[in-house]
């Protein structure tokens, strides 16, 4: 029994050990499965990250990716997408080559292990049965021997007793012989059972059990080899994608090395180059010699000839200063009547000349005062509200600086040429179809495509005319053609009420309220203002509130831009009081407002009005 118990203990130990081996294998499978989930999650996060920073189509971000630095960043995003794909490959290969294979192997291993231990338990039960048979035969032989001894002793006792009859002696002798025979039979059976048991025991310990143990050992060694191969595959799966990942990193490095700061700087220069000349020098203003203002054009011409005229933005001598000034400040300069107002007439008679000569005692305003007022004043022009009705900019892009206008025109020409090519391709295809229909009438009616061909011809002709028009503007910008004689295109509807002579722009033929000077047409072209920009600028502008009322003391014929005509005795609303320049801004109704000389009106300010 000691051998049987120790053998049973070995089976229990082997069963525990092999079960532990299967648990280790299942634990490794779980580890690899979690690794594949991490790889998939990492790849998904990388793809989402790459997608998050990809430029949106038809957006401003897409235009920013023409620089080498942003293109390198875009290449990095694309390579990160490929990088994420390699991690997905790792997950797929680990799932198929490790997780799937090991899962199937574990099921097979469990079945094999169960079979081996079943055979072991069966062999153990068989040898235990043989041992029990041997023990029973042995006990029976021992019992029969003892019974034979007792019968022999009883016979001898009966045979020595003279008082016992012969029959009793004979009966005792026969009983003794019977017991001896039974003992001999038990001995023979015991001997046979013992030989059989010894044979079975030898077979059990030297054949069956070693074979079962060997099978269990082979099974365990295969498990160990399999888990080692899986670990090797685990590393190989990673190693297989390293060259591709390295290539992705090489491409990122290559993209980083392609960043050209000089090229990016040049692109910025080309993108924002305006083509304007820088402003000229500011004239020296000599305060030691008082300058007297005059209102006649001849005196202004003389002062210009003497080189002592007041500096004006937009004049030829000063270059093109307006691109460097905010729009509302520029409009304030163009429209606010900074020229001194005419003096009041000697009497209130309507026959008095309202725009007579001004007082010669007024001195010229210093340039510094004019510039400060220019920088702090609000736009005093209401006609720009009509820009809201204009919508988009002019067709010839005349609202843009020269260089930007050239680029826009070139883009438009290229776009039109592409449209022409598409229409011509469609026409050629329809022409071939028509030829096929003519040769094979059963395939279709040739006349059915004539209408479409005519439409395509008209479209092509219209597009060609558009190309000629834009090429003409482009040639004008590039200097290949002489400048046009007509006025540059403007937004319609500007100052139609204030400029009845047909002038199209507030900046053209600009005069001061006293008629002191007129801007040249070339200067108006240089002072061109983008309508679309002003549209945004004035979208939120509210009408100025009234701060009081006034009564016209004299009749004033406002024939110049920014002024308004008033009749003697007329009552009007004040929306801006005199800021020291001699002009007061008034309003007659919602659409009529302008400046009048302060000396021509009597102002009654509202004490509760803001800024009164």
């Amino acid at each position: 029994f000691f051998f049987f118990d120790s053998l049973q203990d070995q089976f229990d130990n082997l069963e525990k050990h092999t079960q532990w081996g299967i648990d280790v294998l299942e634990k490794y499978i779980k580890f690899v499965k979690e690794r594949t989930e991490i790889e998939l999650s990492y790849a998904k996060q990388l793809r989402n990250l790459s997608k998050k920073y990809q430029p949106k189509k038809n957006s401003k971000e897409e235009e920013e990716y023409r620089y080498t630095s942003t293109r390198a960043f875009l290449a990095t995003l694309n390579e990160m997408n490929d990088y994420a794909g390699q991690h997905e490959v790792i997950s797929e290969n680990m799932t198929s080559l490790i997780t799937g294979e090991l899962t199937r192997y574990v099921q097979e291993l469990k079945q094999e292990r169960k079979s081996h231990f079943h055979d072991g338990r069966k062999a153990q039960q068989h040898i235990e049965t043989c041992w029990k048979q041997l023990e029973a035969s042995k006990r029976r032989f021992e019992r029969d021997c003892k019974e034979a001894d007792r019968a022999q002793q009883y016979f001898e006792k009966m045979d020595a007793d003279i008082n016992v009859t012969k029959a009793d002696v004979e009966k005792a002798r026969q009983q003794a012989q019977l017991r001896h025979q039974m003992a001999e039979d038990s001995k023979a059976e015991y001997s046979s059972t013992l030989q059989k048991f010894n044979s079975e025991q030898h077979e059990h310990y030297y054949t069956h059990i070693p074979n079962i143990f060997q099978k269990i050992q082979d099974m365990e060694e295969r498990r160990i080899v399999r888990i080692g191969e899986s670990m090797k595959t685990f590393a190989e799966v990673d190693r297989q994608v390293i060259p591709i990942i390295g290539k992705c990193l090489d491409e990122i490095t290559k993209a980083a090395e392609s960043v050209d700061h000089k090229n990016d700087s040049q692109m910025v220069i080309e993108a924002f180059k305006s083509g304007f000349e820088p402003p000229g020098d500011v004239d020296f203003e000599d305060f030691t010699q008082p300058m007297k203002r005059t209102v006649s054009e001849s005196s202004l011409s003389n002062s210009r000839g003497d080189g002592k005229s007041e500096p004006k933005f937009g004049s030829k001598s000063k270059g093109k200063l307006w691109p460097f000034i905010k729009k509302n400040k520029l409009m304030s300069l163009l429209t606010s009547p900074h020229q001194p107002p005419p003096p009041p007439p000697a009497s209130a008679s309507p026959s008095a000349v309202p725009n007579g000569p001004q007082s010669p005692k007024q001195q010229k305003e210093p340039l510094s005062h004019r510039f400060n007022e220019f920088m702090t004043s609000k736009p005093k022009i209401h006609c720009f509200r009509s820009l809201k009705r204009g919508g988009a900019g002019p067709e010839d892009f005349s609202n843009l600086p020269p260089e930007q206008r050239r680029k826009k025109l070139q883009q438009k020409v290229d776009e039109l040429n592409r449209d022409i090519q598409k229409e011509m391709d469609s026409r050629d295809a329809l022409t071939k179809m028509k030829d096929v229909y003519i040769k094979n009438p059963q395939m279709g009616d040739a006349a059915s495509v004539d209408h479409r061909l005519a439409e395509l011809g008209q479209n092509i002709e219209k597009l060609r005319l558009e190309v000629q028009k834009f090429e003409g503007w482009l040639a004008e910008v590039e200097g290949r053609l002489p400048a046009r004689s007509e006025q540059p295109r403007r937004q319609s509807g500007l100052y139609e009420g204030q400029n009845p002579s047909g002038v199209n722009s507030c900046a053209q033929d600009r005069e001061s309220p006293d008629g002191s000077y007129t801007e040249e047409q070339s200067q108006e072209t240089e002072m061109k203002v983008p309508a679309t920009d002003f549209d945004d600028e004035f979208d939120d502008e509210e009408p100025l509130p009234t701060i009081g009322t006034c009564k016209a003391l004299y009749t004033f014929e406002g024939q110049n831009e920014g002024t308004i005509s008033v009749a003697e005795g007329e009552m009007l609303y004040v929306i801006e009081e005199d800021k020291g320049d001699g002009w007061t801004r008034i309003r007659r109704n919602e659409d009529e407002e302008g400046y009048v000389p302060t000396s021509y009106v009597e102002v009654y300010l509202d004490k509760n009005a803001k800024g009164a």
Side-chain angles (χ1 to χ4, degrees):
F1 284 105
F2 173 76
F3 296 106
F4 297 149
D5 292 340
S6 63
L7 185 62
Q8 184 65 37
D9 291 342
Q10 298 305 321
F11 267 100
D12 292 342
N13 292 334
L14 287 177
E15 192 171 12
K16 291 179 181 178
H17 179 75
T18 51
Q19 182 60 45
W20 171 82
I22 291 176
D23 293 341
V24 169
L25 199 57
E26 290 179 337
K27 184 185 294 184
Y28 184 73
I29 292 173
K30 185 178 180 182
F31 160 75
V32 176
K33 187 178 294 185
E34 290 183 1
R35 164 73 190 276
T36 58
E37 292 174 355
I38 290 173
E39 292 291 341
L40 282 177
S41 177
Y42 182 51
K44 182 179 180 181
Q45 291 179 11
L46 284 179
R47 288 190 183 278
N48 290 339
L49 181 65
S50 176
K51 183 179 179 181
K52 177 181 178 181
Y53 287 94
Q54 287 283 351
K56 297 179 178 60
K57 292 184 178 180
N58 302 323
S59 66
K60 185 179 179 181
E61 291 182 6
E62 196 172 18
E63 298 178 0
E64 296 174 353
Y65 280 84
R66 52 199 177 96
Y67 301 103
T68 59
S69 57
T70 48
R71 284 204 305 269
F73 178 56
L74 182 60
T76 301
L77 294 178
N78 295 333
E79 293 300 329
M80 288 302 295
N81 208 31
D82 298 340
Y83 186 89
Q86 297 310 307
H87 284 277
E88 291 175 346
V89 170
I90 291 176
S91 176
E92 293 172 1
N93 291 341
M94 286 186 175
T95 301
S96 60
L97 298 178
I98 300 178
T99 306
E101 293 294 330
L102 286 183
T103 301
R104 287 190 294 270
Y105 178 70
V106 165
Q107 297 301 323
E108 297 173 359
L109 187 63
K110 288 180 178 180
Q111 292 296 329
E112 183 180 1
R113 173 179 174 275
K114 182 179 180 181
S115 174
H116 293 331
F117 282 100
H118 176 72
D119 293 342
R121 283 190 292 270
K122 186 176 179 181
Q124 188 71 16
Q125 290 174 359
H126 177 70
I127 195 65
E128 288 178 358
T129 301
C130 292
W131 173 258
K132 289 177 181 179
Q133 292 175 356
L134 177 63
E135 287 292 317
S137 176
K138 179 181 177 182
R139 285 193 299 271
R140 186 165 52 250
F141 171 60
E142 183 182 5
R143 185 180 68 248
D144 289 344
C145 287
K146 290 180 179 180
E147 290 293 332
D149 289 341
R150 284 196 297 268
Q152 183 65 28
Q153 290 175 4
Y154 181 73
F155 167 70
E156 291 176 353
K157 181 180 178 181
M158 291 295 288
D159 188 38
D161 189 357
I162 58 174
N163 296 324
V164 177
T165 63
K166 188 176 180 180
D168 290 336
V169 173
E170 185 61 24
K171 184 178 180 180
R173 186 181 63 77
Q174 290 179 357
Q175 186 68 26
Q177 288 179 353
L178 179 62
R179 292 294 179 184
H180 278 291
Q181 185 60 40
M182 290 177 63
E184 288 296 329
D185 292 341
S186 296
K187 181 180 179 180
E189 184 184 358
Y190 172 66
S191 177
S192 175
T193 303
L194 181 61
Q195 289 179 1
K196 182 180 178 182
F197 174 77
N198 288 333
S199 176
E200 291 289 343
Q201 181 176 259
H202 187 275
E203 188 76 14
H204 177 77
Y205 284 105
Y206 289 95
T207 304
H208 294 309
I209 295 300
N211 287 340
I212 293 173
F213 282 176
Q214 186 63 43
K215 290 178 181 178
I216 294 175
Q217 181 179 346
D218 294 341
M219 177 192 72
E220 185 67 11
E221 289 177 353
R222 287 197 307 271
R223 178 194 67 81
I224 296 171
V225 170
R226 193 62 177 268
I227 195 171
E229 291 176 349
S230 299
M231 291 179 180
K232 184 178 179 181
T233 305
F234 183 85
E236 289 297 327
V237 168
D238 257 344
R239 186 175 287 110
Q240 287 174 0
V241 301
I242 286 177
I244 304 177
I245 291 178
K247 188 176 180 181
C248 293
L249 298 177
D250 292 341
E251 290 297 325
I252 294 176
T253 303
K254 183 179 178 181
E257 292 173 350
S258 67
V259 174
D260 186 356
H261 58 285
K262 294 293 185 182
N263 182 70
D264 286 1
S265 298
Q266 188 61 35
M267 291 180 68
V268 173
I269 293 172
E270 291 297 328
F272 299 106
K273 183 167 61 176
S274 65
F276 289 114
E277 297 178 2
D281 296 336
V282 178
D283 290 342
F284 175 74
E285 192 171 357
D286 191 357
F287 293 97
T288 59
Q289 298 179 2
M291 301 296 295
K292 305 297 184 179
R293 287 190 178 181
T294 59
V295 296
S296 64
E297 294 185 0
S298 59
S299 62
L300 178 60
S301 301
N302 293 335
S303 64
R304 284 183 178 179
D306 296 337
K308 298 179 181 179
S309 63
E310 183 181 344
K312 301 182 296 297
F313 292 102
S315 64
K316 293 183 180 180
S317 62
K318 300 306 172 188
K320 303 172 184 62
L321 185 59
W322 72 267
F324 309 100
I325 303 173
K326 290 187 176 180
K327 294 174 290 190
N328 58 344
K329 301 302 180 183
L330 176 65
M331 291 301 101
S332 177
L333 176 68
L334 293 178
T335 59
S336 299
H338 290 295
Q339 296 295 330
S347 66
S349 172
S351 61
V353 181
N355 291 338
Q358 68 176 32
S359 172
K361 296 181 180 180
Q362 273 189 298
Q363 295 185 354
K364 175 182 176 181
E365 283 185 288
L367 177 61
S368 58
H369 175 71
R370 289 287 306 281
F371 187 74
N372 291 335
E373 185 179 20
F374 162 73
M375 294 301 292
T376 56
S377 61
K378 291 180 64 177
K380 301 177 182 179
I381 180 169
H382 66 276
C383 67
F384 275 105
R385 299 194 185 105
S386 62
L387 281 172
K388 296 180 182 178
R389 311 184 191 103
E395 186 182 13
D396 61 351
F397 304 108
S398 58
N399 59 323
L400 298 176
E403 185 65 23
Q404 303 302 319
R405 182 187 179 197
R406 182 191 66 78
K407 290 182 180 179
K408 288 289 186 181
L409 291 173
Q410 186 63 54
Q411 291 176 4
K412 188 67 176 179
V413 169
D414 295 341
E415 180 183 347
L416 290 172
N417 285 330
R418 287 193 296 270
D419 293 341
I420 290 175
Q421 187 61 42
K422 290 180 182 178
E423 297 291 326
M424 292 178 67
D425 293 342
S426 300
R427 186 180 64 180
D428 294 343
L430 285 176
T431 303
K432 292 179 181 179
M433 184 184 298
K434 182 178 180 180
D435 294 340
V436 172
Y437 288 168
I438 293 174
K439 295 177 181 178
N440 302 288
Q442 67 275 11
M443 297 184 65
D445 184 10
S448 62
V449 298
D450 289 341
H451 179 67
R452 179 57 181 163
L453 285 173
E455 288 183 354
L456 290 173
Q458 293 176 359
N459 293 342
I460 292 173
E461 187 61 28
K462 290 179 181 178
L463 289 172
R464 283 176 176 168
L465 291 175
E466 287 290 313
V467 169
Q468 292 178 3
K469 178 173 65 174
F470 280 95
E471 284 180 344
W473 287 332
L474 181 61
E476 178 182 326
V477 172
E478 293 178 345
R480 296 198 303 264
L481 294 176
R484 301 189 178 192
S485 58
E486 64 269 15
Q487 296 294 334
R489 287 170 172 78
R490 292 288 174 182
Q491 285 289 343
S492 61
L494 296 181
Y495 303 108
E496 292 177 356
Q498 285 105 352
N499 204 349
S501 60
V503 180
N504 295 328
S505 172
C506 297
Q508 181 182 351
D509 295 337
R510 180 166 54 88
E511 295 182 1
S512 64
D514 60 346
S516 58
Y517 76 100
T518 301
E519 185 77 358
E520 291 84 4
Q521 175 183 338
S522 61
Q523 301 307 311
E524 183 276 337
T525 304
E526 296 173 358
M527 302 295 287
K528 199 181 303 177
V529 178
T532 55
D533 293 341
F534 278 108
D535 188 40
D536 296 334
E537 184 77 18
F538 286 89
D539 273 344
D540 299 326
E541 182 182 2
E542 296 292 336
L544 292 175
T546 59
I547 60 174
T549 58
C550 67
K551 178 181 180 182
L553 302 177
Y554 313 102
T555 298
F556 177 72
E557 299 293 337
Q559 297 179 354
N560 300 312
E561 291 179 354
T563 61
I564 183 173
S565 300
V566 295
E568 181 181 353
E570 185 179 2
M571 296 296 296
L572 304 108
Y573 296 101
V574 178
I575 58 176
E576 187 175 306
E577 53 181 326
D578 189 350
K579 296 185 177 298
D581 54 1
W583 294 93
T584 299
R585 190 173 181 179
I586 62 173
R587 177 186 296 151
R588 177 176 288 111
N589 50 46
E590 292 183 357
D591 296 328
E592 290 186 75
E593 62 181 45
Y595 290 89
V596 295
T598 304
S599 56
Y600 277 60
V601 293
E602 184 177 357
V603 177
Y604 309 99
L605 293 179
D606 186 359
K607 295 182 180 180
N608 297 325
K610 182 179 178 181

